[in-house]
Amino acid sequence: MTTDLFTLMKTRYPSFTKAEKKVADLVLSEPKKVMYMSIIDLACTCGVGDTTVFRFCKDLNLKGYQDFRIALAQSVTNDENETSTVDADISLEDSVDHLTKKILQSNIAALNETCELTDAGRVEQAVDWMIKARRILFFGVGTSLLTAMDAKNLFMRILPKVEVAMDSHMQAMSAALMGPEDVAIVISYSGSTKDTYHAAELAQKAGAGIIAITRFEKSPLTRLADLVLLCGANEGPLQGGALSSKMAQLYVLNILYFEMFRRTMKESKRNQEITADAVSDKLY
C-alpha cells in the first residue's frame, strides 16, 4: 500500500458508516495508542462491533486487522520522520548508551506491568490444575513456540508430564488427543494466531482445561480459555517477537513454576536432583 493511511482515511471519511467514523476518529486522534490495540480492544473502545472494525479495514483496501496495524505503524513512523525512527521508542540518533537504557526501561516496564496484572487467585487455580493433571501440554507458534519450549525446559526438571510439539500440525494432533484430565497451556501474545487458536479449540473439544498466557483480556483465544494469565508488554505490528514480550511471558511461567515447586516441595526437589544428576557429566 503506497498511499499514507492517514491520507486515505481522510479522503474516504465521508463514505464511512456512522460506526466506522467512530473508529476513524480514534485512529486519527490517537494512532500510537491504537497501534498496540487488539481488534476487540479497538471495537470496545469505540463502542462498535468487531465486524465494524474489520469492515473498516476492508474499506481501506486492507486484507484484515493485522494488515491495518502494519499500515498504521508505517504511517506513524513516516509522519514523525521518515528516516529517524527505528520503532516507537528508539531512533537512529540514539547512542549505544541511550539505546541500552531505553531497552532496559522497556523490559522493566513490561515486567512491572505483568506484575500488576498478575492475579494470585488465578495463579493458584492454574497450579491446582497443573498438579492434578495427567499431562501438561504447552502450545505456541512463532516466537511463542520458543517460549513454550523454554517452559518445557523449565518444568521438565521437576515434572515428568510436560510436553510440547514443534510443528503446528503436530500440535493440532496432540491437542485432539488430550482428555479431561489434561491441561493445555496456550501461549500467544495477540490471542489471535490462527494455528494457536485451532490447537486450543481442539483441546477444548477434547475436554482439556485451557490456560491462556496472553497480552489481551479479550481475544479469540481468551473466549476459549478457562483461565487467563495476562502479560504486560506492548508490541507494535513491526516488532513481532520483541524481547520484552517474551520476558513477560517467561515471568508468568516462572511464577507458576515456583508456586508449583513450593507446593510440591518433596517431589519437585527429588526430581530436580535426579534431572541435574542426569546431565552433570555433560559439563567439563
Side-chain angles (χ1 to χ4, degrees):
M1 180 175 153
T2 56
T3 305
D4 178 78
L5 185 65
F6 299 134
T7 301
L8 186 61
M9 288 171 59
K10 291 172 183 176
T11 58
R12 298 195 178 180
Y13 189 86
S15 67
F16 292 150
T17 65
K18 185 177 180 180
E20 289 173 339
K21 286 179 179 178
K22 291 182 179 180
V23 180
D25 289 342
L26 183 62
V27 175
L28 290 170
S29 62
E30 300 185 75
K32 287 186 178 180
K33 181 179 179 181
V34 173
M35 194 168 66
Y36 294 109
M37 288 183 173
S38 69
I39 186 171
I40 297 175
D41 284 345
L42 179 56
C44 290
T45 302
C46 295
V48 300
D50 302 0
T51 54
T52 296
V53 178
F54 185 75
R55 188 170 61 247
F56 170 77
C57 297
K58 299 294 284 186
D59 287 345
L60 294 172
N61 299 327
L62 299 168
K63 295 176 182 178
Y65 188 67
Q66 183 61 17
D67 202 22
F68 163 76
R69 291 181 72 224
I70 292 172
L72 177 60
Q74 291 171 337
S75 295
V76 167
T77 300
N78 292 337
D79 195 49
E80 289 179 339
N81 188 317
E82 195 165 12
T83 60
S84 68
T85 304
V86 177
D87 65 19
D89 300 309
I90 298 170
S91 71
L92 296 177
E93 285 74 30
D94 286 334
S95 65
V96 173
D97 187 53
H98 286 149
L99 180 65
T100 301
K101 289 181 172 62
K102 283 186 176 182
I103 293 174
L104 175 63
Q105 290 166 358
S106 175
N107 291 333
I108 290 174
L111 293 175
N112 282 334
E113 187 176 355
T114 303
C115 182
E116 291 296 322
L117 289 169
T118 300
D119 184 308
R122 292 185 184 185
V123 170
E124 290 171 358
Q125 187 175 0
V127 173
D128 281 342
W129 293 356
M130 293 171 71
I131 290 173
K132 295 173 184 176
R134 180 190 64 169
R135 294 184 303 153
I136 301 169
L137 276 68
F138 294 99
F139 294 93
V141 297
T143 304
S144 292
L145 173 58
L146 300 179
T147 305
M149 292 166 59
D150 286 336
K152 180 186 176 180
N153 180 54
L154 178 65
F155 280 94
M156 72 182 297
R157 298 170 188 274
I158 63 171
L159 286 176
K161 57 185 182 181
V162 292
E163 302 174 22
V164 62
M166 304 296 292
D167 172 83
S168 61
H169 290 195
M170 294 176 68
Q171 288 192 17
M173 290 187 284
S174 297
L177 292 173
M178 295 182 78
E181 64 274 35
D182 299 325
V183 169
I185 299 182
V186 187
I187 304 166
S188 172
Y189 176 84
S190 68
S192 302
T193 308
K194 289 182 179 179
D195 286 340
T196 305
Y197 178 85
H198 181 54
E201 188 177 37
L202 290 170
Q204 184 194 55
K205 289 179 180 177
I210 312 294
I211 300 172
I213 298 178
T214 186
R215 175 67 176 99
F216 303 104
E217 183 79 52
K218 296 179 181 179
S219 70
L221 176 60
T222 59
R223 288 170 179 163
L224 283 178
D226 301 297
L227 193 62
V228 177
L229 302 176
L230 296 174
C231 54
N234 287 327
E235 181 180 286
L238 302 179
Q239 300 170 296
L243 179 61
S244 58
S245 303
K246 183 176 176 64
M247 288 180 64
Q249 293 170 345
L250 289 173
Y251 178 51
V252 172
L253 288 162
N254 267 267
I255 293 171
L256 295 176
Y257 172 83
F258 284 108
E259 175 60 12
M260 173 168 281
F261 198 109
R262 186 183 69 83
R263 288 167 56 178
T264 60
M265 176 67 75
K266 186 176 180 180
E267 179 186 358
S268 292
K269 191 170 183 180
R270 182 181 69 249
N271 288 341
Q272 187 183 56
E273 291 171 353
I274 291 171
T275 53
D277 183 63
V279 296
S280 62
D281 63 346
K282 306 297 181 183
L283 302 173
Y284 285 108

